[in-house]
Amino acid sequence: MAGTLESKGFFAALFDFGFTSFITLKFIRVIYTVLVIAACIVGLVVFAGLANRGGVGVLLGLIFGPLVTLLYLVFARIWMETIALFFRIGENTTVMAAAASSQLPPAPPASGYGLA
């Protein structure tokens, strides 16, 4: 990782009490995979629950089972992307701060408020 962020192995990052590396982005694929599997199970449960009621239930199950699964997947994906976004913002901010600290800070305005 560029800047001051360190790229460590899993256990080194897990016991990094300075939080200089993140493990969340390493696990986000696994978490999303678990959520996709859970969405499929929820869709099957909705379908089975409605289909158990007979003729109209099968039709409702065919409509609402995939609909519930799709909505669950959309919200799970948005949630995972939001988490990844926050961690990437943090990483990029750390890199930018490290780059900025290596340069000389800008001189303050003469009057203090930027007015001549």
Side-chain angles (χ1 to χ4, degrees), residues 88-112:
R88 292 210 170 106
I89 287 172
E91 287 177 345
N92 291 336
T93 303
T94 303
V95 170
M96 288 172 43
S101 68
S102 66
Q103 300 173 356
L104 294 175
S111 65

Side-chain angles (χ1 to χ4, degrees), residues 2-73:
T4 60
L5 288 178
E6 301 173 20
S7 181
K8 298 180 177 180
F10 172 71
F11 288 108
L14 186 62
F15 295 107
D16 175 22
F17 293 103
F19 292 95
T20 57
S21 64
F22 299 120
I23 63 170
T24 304
L25 289 177
K26 296 175 185 175
F27 278 109
I28 204 150
R29 290 181 186 139
V30 174
I31 295 168
Y32 185 65
T33 302
V34 169
L35 290 175
V36 168
I37 293 169
C40 293
I41 291 171
V42 166
L44 288 173
V45 167
V46 168
F47 173 73
L50 291 173
N52 193 22
R53 298 176 189 258
V56 176
V58 172
L59 181 63
L60 290 175
L62 286 173
I63 294 171
F64 287 113
L67 183 65
V68 168
T69 304
L70 178 66
L71 288 175
Y72 187 97
L73 284 174

Side-chain angles (χ1 to χ4, degrees), residues 109-116:
S111 65
Y113 294 103
L115 301 174

